[in-house]
Amino acid sequence: MNIKICGLRTKSAVDEAVKNGATHLGFILSKSHRQVTPEAVSTLTENLPKSVKKVGVFVNESIEFVKNAVAIAGLDLVQLHGDEDMDYIRQMSVPVIKAVSDFAKIAQYENIMLLLDSPKGGSGQTFDWTSVRADSLSLPFFVAGGLTPDNVAAAVQHFQDFPHFYGVDVSSGVETDGVKDLTKICTFIQNASLAHYDDLLTAFLTLTQRLNAHGIIPYLMGSVAVQLVAGFSTNPDDIDIQLRQSDFAQFDRLSVLMEDLGYHLIDWHEHKFEKGNIHVGFANVETLKNYANVDFTALSKSELGEFYLPNLQQNIKIYEAATRDNWRNDKYKDKVILEKLKELENDR
Ligand SMILES: O=C(O)c1ccccc1N[C@@H]1O[C@H](COP(=O)(O)O)[C@@H](O)[C@H]1O
């Protein structure tokens, strides 16, 4: 789940957002009471994990102004909140998020990300979510505008089935008296991530029933399994399923079964499927011994259904292996999960 915390101005707020699993940090570089300089962004984001993206927010600035800020602040993306059109957007040196509030005008944009917002960015005003039709959106999109720790779960649930829903974005809703509130940042991220976790777990349980009907018992791995076993928020992105080699080898049969459930194959090499905002990856559980020195036959069955999952100690071994694995993209997240798992084990 992508979670963007925007309008950051202090190191403590940046640290709180990162610590809790924000995937994007937003900095206002145009005129606003939240405005910061590109130099300040550079200082505030020193030592930021690579997986956390820095977004600069601009309103109708000159191309030179934006490019200069991108270079000084080291921005990964720019968010454009004014009347910038495709001619302007094509001149940007980094990927673009375009804020839109008139949803009838979405069709003019291509190869970018959208941010659905109320007409006045950063005002904390919501828009009518039901005014957006899923079939009008063919680009990945963030939802913003008046989100708060209290309504973000409802927003995630509302947009979850939109095929291109990418994440949620907040500024005013995590402030108290105009200043970023660390408790609200933490609660916002946890509530957004919990709503997505609930959806992923429900999708996994549906999938499990279908696999079981074909004589297959899946192994639930990754951050959904950790959250189920350990109970802390892991902000899962996808569902990691492992299968016995005999089941995994019949990938064509698996593909048919997934398509029946509305998923489509998005990466044949990685055995990844997608349905809306839900991604499911398959792998062979019998490789666990070599990868993490975990005997897959020692994994326990869940009480929630006919599937296996690793316990606390087995998850620790798996995440230790993941943090050593050069192929893993999000090592920072793996490291945070590993630290929390170890803390939990020490407390027992
Ligand atoms: O936050 C600002 O001051 C701002 C100024 C100019 C353009 C956009 C701005 N904020 C962005 O608007 C969205 C929604 O914010 P909110 O949660 O409704 O307050 C978010 O991306 C802000 O960073």
Side-chain angles (χ1 to χ4, degrees), residues 4 6 28 32 34 59 79 81 117 121-122 124 145-146 169-172:
K4 176 163 166 278
C6 213
I28 313 293
S32 158
R34 301 186 179 101
V59 187
Q79 178 176 319
H81 257 269
D117 199 356
D169 176 9
V170 65
S171 185
S172 314

Side-chain angles (χ1 to χ4, degrees), residues 135-338:
D135 59 10
S136 67
L137 285 159
S138 56
L139 296 172
F141 67 95
F142 272 104
V143 174
L147 295 182
T148 66
D150 293 334
N151 67 11
V152 68
V156 171
Q157 271 147 22
H158 180 85
F159 287 102
Q160 194 70 59
D161 293 332
F162 284 51
H164 301 282
F165 177 47
Y166 188 75
V168 287
D169 176 9
V170 65
S171 185
S172 314
V174 291
E175 290 176 349
T176 298
D177 299 330
V179 175
K180 286 286 177 287
D181 179 321
L182 304 192
T183 307
K184 286 184 183 173
I185 290 176
C186 170
T187 316
F188 182 90
I189 296 172
Q190 284 187 353
N191 290 355
S193 130
L194 187 61
H196 189 49
Y197 163 78
D198 286 343
D199 279 330
L200 292 178
L201 188 60
T202 304
F204 171 73
L205 294 175
T206 306
L207 199 46
T208 296
Q209 282 181 351
R210 184 61 70 93
L211 290 167
N212 292 163
H214 287 76
I216 302 171
I217 304 186
Y219 294 74
L220 177 63
M221 313 299 286
S223 42
V224 178
V226 170
Q227 188 153 346
L228 188 55
V229 168
F232 61 77
S233 174
T234 58
N235 193 16
D237 296 316
D238 51 14
I239 305 172
D240 288 323
I241 298 178
Q242 299 196 348
L243 301 176
R244 295 291 304 268
Q245 172 57 20
S246 51
D247 296 322
F248 184 59
Q250 298 186 52
F251 192 66
D252 289 346
R253 180 173 78 137
L254 197 62
S255 298
V256 171
L257 195 149
M258 291 298 283
E259 272 160 30
D260 251 20
L261 286 172
Y263 291 86
H264 65 276
L265 187 63
I266 50 163
D267 189 330
W268 187 82
H269 279 286
E270 296 288 325
H271 307 98
K272 282 206 163 121
F273 293 83
E274 181 184 80
K275 179 162 109 175
N277 191 31
I278 295 181
H279 294 92
V280 184
F282 288 95
N284 173 6
V285 73
E286 293 172 34
T287 61
L288 211 50
K289 184 80 186 161
N290 268 344
Y291 182 69
N293 196 24
V294 171
D295 177 2
F296 78 91
T297 63
L299 268 56
S300 323
K301 243 192 202 157
S302 167
E303 288 167 3
L304 283 186
E306 257 321 84
F307 65 94
Y308 295 96
L309 79 174
N311 62 24
L312 190 61
Q313 289 77 22
Q314 290 159 338
N315 266 313
I316 288 177
K317 283 182 157 190
I318 294 166
Y319 273 82
E320 276 171 344
T323 53
R324 291 191 299 266
D325 184 346
N326 289 334
W327 291 95
R328 300 271 305 170
N329 288 331
D330 200 349
K331 285 211 173 202
Y332 174 75
K333 188 171 163 186
D334 292 340
K335 218 174 115 228
V336 172
I337 289 179
L338 179 59

Side-chain angles (χ1 to χ4, degrees), residues 91-104:
Q91 296 178 65
M92 294 290 108
S93 51
V94 290
V96 169
I97 302 173
K98 177 73 187 85
V100 283
S101 55
D102 182 350
F103 307 129

Side-chain angles (χ1 to χ4, degrees), residues 23-86:
T23 54
H24 295 68
L25 305 182
F27 302 92
I28 313 293
L29 290 148
S30 283
K31 201 166 158 20
S32 158
H33 61 283
R34 301 186 179 101
Q35 185 173 14
V36 284
T37 62
E39 290 78 5
V41 175
S42 172
T43 308
L44 286 171
T45 55
E46 270 170 21
N47 305 321
L48 197 67
K50 266 205 200 108
S51 56
V52 180
K53 302 297 172 211
K54 292 194 246 179
V55 184
V57 179
F58 302 88
V59 187
N60 293 331
E61 300 290 355
S62 70
I63 306 271
E64 289 64 36
F65 180 88
V66 179
K67 282 191 172 168
N68 187 43
V70 168
I72 295 172
L75 300 176
D76 298 298
L77 297 115
V78 293
Q79 178 176 319
L80 305 174
H81 257 269
D83 307 314
E84 302 87 355
D85 60 12
M86 275 313 294

